[in-house]
Amino acid sequence: MTFEQWMRSVLDRVEGALEQYLPADSTEPARLHEAMRYAVLGGGKRVRPLLCHAAGELTGAKAECLDAASAALEMIHVYSLVHDDMPCMDDDELRRGKPTVHVKYDEATALLVGDALQSQAFVALTSDVLAPAQQAALVRELALASGSIGMAGGQAIDLASVGHTLTRPQLETMHRLKTGALLRAAVRMGALTGQIENGGPDAKALQSLDAYSAAVGLAFQVVDDILDVTTDSATLGKTAGKDAKDGKPTYVSIIGLDASRALAAQLRSDAHQALAPFGARAQRLAELADLVVNRVS
Amino acid sequence: MTFEQWMRSVLDRVEGALEQYLPADSTEPARLHEAMRYAVLGGGKRVRPLLCHAAGELTGAKAECLDAASAALEMIHVYSLVHDDMPCMDDDELRRGKPTVHVKYDEATALLVGDALQSQAFVALTSDVLAPAQQAALVRELALASGSIGMAGGQAIDLASVGHTLTRPQLETMHRLKTGALLRAAVRMGALTGQIENGGPDAKALQSLDAYSAAVGLAFQVVDDILDVTTDSATLGKTAGKDAKDGKPTYVSIIGLDASRALAAQLRSDAHQALAPFGARAQRLAELADLVVNRVS
């Protein structure tokens, strides 16, 4: 199977899983469920589900277990986008090529959509396709990665940094939390699903995968910063040039465009290096590192 | 032990558990953690933790397991208050006798405090004082009760109802979700903790407890509506008379004050009735039903 075929097959599964793990829009309160589905379905690169499936295949996880984990990861990611786009945060009007939830509906609905998507992620993770030990381990990974010492904490640092000059280490700390924590959780959750099914967590393998995730997570952000200044809104599906306009520190603003491109290439190589212990079995993860660095939107 | 002594002892434990399960305010990002602790600690009636402990004692749960479940329940409850108080929702400035989080800090911080408290609830529930089977069961209860078919869904119905005339069944549906679902989860989580420790879920006992929770949950709301028109803000610790001012339907506005008081008394009696199968072992739950109906704030 080529990488493109593999990716298509995973994306199809994940879309089906999201469809399944979200309440139907005929279920009351129907408008809230309609808005949750508007936010989640039919858009997005699904990077976290792809990482989860690739890591899970490496450890022999069942595909339907990875579907539940992937749906949960994507719901958390989308909830964070919906809240970040609200007027009291980044105040953005375009996301995944569509009006943001607070524009399409209203602010209160956007708030509740985000809140309810976070809960729904934990509903998905306690679906009975997963054994109780898997459910418990995956919930802990996802909750820690989402909360105040993970994604939400990174968002708080991001807000506090607007208009300030950050050092490069400070910028890295912010991104390690804001986007890195959930990407790392995607890889760990995939890997743990298979490991728990087949004997229990493997600390050494998880350590290598964490090194991979750290490189991919940072690369993802560096490339985001590059695309923000080199690509138009129509291609990105979100407002281009917004970070510079908002006075937000970025890799491009701190080290420049050329050095940012060199850094992305170096991080891709670091990611490949971290996968060395797994040999050819980690092919999909290696290809995903390439995808993250080479993407154009 | 008198009821007052029992309550004091549970409240002390719960305050300690919240202190323990919340990140320290010296942990980065410190301002976010400070705001989370501001929202949660040192205030509130802790009704959900009390219900959880009372139900857990009935089924022989370990106190430290109930502490983790109680901390999680209270974090979810407080996150909902913080978000509900935001300008795009109820726009309230006073809560538990203190300025609300968005007033004391800012809107973006209030949004992140709520988001991170929800995640932290699931971190608390996957603490290793609970066995994996307990963690999995409690996470599912809490996630379902919090989300779009529970608390967040009730909030959505509440928003949609402003300025509309609701029938009494519609009002009950709203409250069953908005406050009832989490109160029910508090009782179920306490009971399940002990049941799983001692052989597995007991469907018949849970059914009786659900009937108890339904009565107590509705009584809680009826009394809230009574207090909203009969008590001042200083006693309530939140803005009195706000529902009427906001054009929100309440029991008092639909059936009047006297009928609301009679309904609360009837629901208290229903709650006691539902506990009959447990005999004297359910004493604390019976006393909590009395507390909910007789409270003055």
Side-chain angles (χ1 to χ4, degrees):
Chain A
M1 206 192 295
T2 67
F3 178 59
E4 283 66 31
Q5 287 168 331
W6 175 82
M7 214 167 76
R8 176 49 42 210
S9 124
V10 171
L11 291 174
D12 282 351
R13 293 194 68 98
V14 168
E15 209 64 18
L18 286 168
E19 173 72 44
Q20 173 197 340
Y21 287 109
L22 285 168
D25 52 13
S26 56
T27 303
E28 288 296 334
R31 186 165 181 272
L32 178 63
H33 289 133
E34 183 198 298
M36 288 167 73
R37 298 176 75 90
Y38 172 81
V40 173
L41 296 175
K45 293 181 287 290
R46 313 293 193 209
V47 173
R48 292 150 196 82
L50 289 166
L51 286 169
C52 179
H53 268 272
E57 289 185 17
L58 180 64
T59 61
K62 288 185 187 146
E64 62 266 34
C65 296
L66 298 173
D67 290 341
S70 294
L73 281 156
E74 192 67 11
M75 287 183 207
I76 291 285
H77 173 55
V78 172
Y79 118 62
S80 81
L81 299 179
V82 171
H83 279 185
D84 288 3
D85 287 337
M86 285 177 68
C88 68
M89 303 282 280
D90 285 356
D91 194 11
D92 223 322
E93 301 195 345
L94 189 65
R95 174 68 71 181
R96 294 179 166 177
K98 301 189 293 191
T100 48
V101 175
H102 70 95
V103 169
K104 170 90 175 173
Y105 294 86
D106 54 62
E107 275 186 60
T109 301
L111 182 60
L112 292 173
V113 162
D115 289 348
L117 283 175
Q118 180 169 187
S119 311
Q120 195 64 25
F122 295 104
V123 172
L125 279 189
T126 49
S127 135
D128 58 14
V129 299
L130 293 158
Q134 289 172 316
Q135 296 178 28
L138 299 191
V139 166
R140 188 159 188 87
E141 288 290 333
L142 189 61
L144 283 167
S146 308
S148 66
I149 58 166
M151 186 180 73
Q155 189 63 32
I157 298 174
D158 189 15
L159 276 172
S161 76
V162 172
H164 290 73
T165 309
L166 291 194
T167 63
R168 196 168 144 184
Q170 288 174 322
L171 188 69
E172 278 185 21
T173 299
M174 175 182 87
H175 290 311
R176 193 168 40 76
L177 298 179
K178 192 181 164 191
T179 52
L182 196 59
L183 292 168
R184 177 174 177 268
V187 173
R188 288 178 65 91
M189 286 166 67
L192 277 166
T193 302
Q195 289 172 356
I196 293 172
E197 174 93 24
N198 302 301
D202 174 345
K204 194 144 172 273
L206 289 173
Q207 199 173 13
S208 297
L209 291 172
D210 284 350
Y212 163 84
S213 303
V216 168
L218 208 50
F220 188 88
Q221 193 55 53
V222 173
V223 171
D224 238 29
D225 288 353
I226 294 171
L227 292 173
D228 190 56
V229 297
T230 59
T231 308
D232 58 278
S233 301
T235 308
L236 286 182
K238 62 181 179 182
T239 314
K242 191 136 195 318
D243 289 341
K245 185 168 151 277
D246 291 348
K248 287 206 176 177
T250 72
Y251 279 95
V252 175
S253 72
I254 292 183
I255 63 175
L257 191 56
D258 287 348
S260 294
R261 285 182 167 137
L263 177 59
Q266 177 60 50
L267 288 166
R268 185 178 79 138
S269 155
D270 292 351
H272 285 215
Q273 195 68 39
L275 297 174
F278 305 109
R281 288 186 302 131
Q283 184 194 345
R284 297 307 179 204
L285 286 171
E287 289 166 330
L288 283 172
D290 298 344
L291 179 76
V292 160
V293 171
N294 298 332
R295 69 199 166 98
V296 295
S297 71
Chain B
M1 206 190 302
T2 67
F3 178 59
E4 283 67 31
Q5 286 167 333
W6 175 83
M7 213 169 75
R8 175 48 45 207
S9 126
V10 171
L11 291 174
D12 281 353
R13 293 195 68 98
V14 168
E15 208 64 18
L18 286 167
E19 172 72 44
Q20 173 198 336
Y21 286 110
L22 285 167
D25 53 12
S26 56
T27 302
E28 287 296 338
R31 187 167 181 272
L32 178 63
H33 288 133
E34 185 198 297
M36 289 166 73
R37 299 174 75 89
Y38 172 82
V40 172
L41 296 175
K45 295 181 285 292
R46 312 297 193 207
V47 172
R48 292 150 196 81
L50 288 166
L51 286 170
C52 179
H53 268 273
E57 288 184 17
L58 181 65
T59 61
K62 290 183 186 147
E64 63 265 35
C65 296
L66 298 173
D67 290 342
S70 294
L73 282 156
E74 192 67 13
M75 286 183 208
I76 292 286
H77 174 55
V78 172
Y79 117 64
S80 81
L81 299 179
V82 172
H83 280 184
D84 287 2
D85 286 337
M86 285 178 66
C88 69
M89 303 282 279
D90 286 355
D91 194 12
D92 223 322
E93 302 196 343
L94 188 66
R95 175 67 70 178
R96 293 178 168 179
K98 302 189 294 190
T100 48
V101 175
H102 71 93
V103 169
K104 169 88 174 175
Y105 295 87
D106 53 62
E107 275 186 60
T109 301
L111 182 59
L112 292 173
V113 161
D115 289 347
L117 282 176
Q118 180 169 190
S119 312
Q120 194 65 24
F122 294 104
V123 172
L125 278 190
T126 49
S127 135
D128 57 16
V129 300
L130 293 159
Q134 289 172 316
Q135 296 177 29
L138 299 191
V139 166
R140 188 160 187 87
E141 288 291 333
L142 189 61
L144 283 167
S146 309
S148 66
I149 57 165
M151 186 180 73
Q155 190 62 33
I157 297 173
D158 188 15
L159 276 170
S161 76
V162 173
H164 289 75
T165 309
L166 292 194
T167 62
R168 197 169 144 183
Q170 288 173 324
L171 188 69
E172 280 186 17
T173 298
M174 175 182 86
H175 290 312
R176 193 167 41 75
L177 298 179
K178 192 181 165 192
T179 54
L182 196 59
L183 292 168
R184 177 174 178 268
V187 172
R188 289 179 64 93
M189 287 167 67
L192 278 165
T193 303
Q195 289 173 355
I196 293 172
E197 175 93 23
N198 302 303
D202 174 345
K204 193 144 172 270
L206 289 173
Q207 199 174 13
S208 297
L209 290 172
D210 284 351
Y212 165 83
S213 304
V216 167
L218 208 51
F220 188 88
Q221 192 56 52
V222 173
V223 172
D224 239 31
D225 288 352
I226 294 171
L227 292 173
D228 190 57
V229 297
T230 59
T231 309
D232 58 277
S233 300
T235 308
L236 286 182
K238 62 181 180 183
T239 313
K242 192 138 194 319
D243 288 342
K245 186 168 150 276
D246 291 349
K248 286 203 179 180
T250 71
Y251 279 94
V252 175
S253 71
I254 292 184
I255 64 175
L257 190 56
D258 287 347
S260 296
R261 285 182 168 136
L263 177 59
Q266 178 60 48
L267 289 165
R268 184 179 78 139
S269 155
D270 293 348
H272 284 216
Q273 195 67 40
L275 297 175
F278 305 110
R281 289 186 302 130
Q283 185 194 345
R284 297 310 180 202
L285 285 171
E287 289 165 330
L288 283 170
D290 298 344
L291 179 76
V292 160
V293 171
N294 298 330
R295 70 200 166 99
V296 295
S297 70

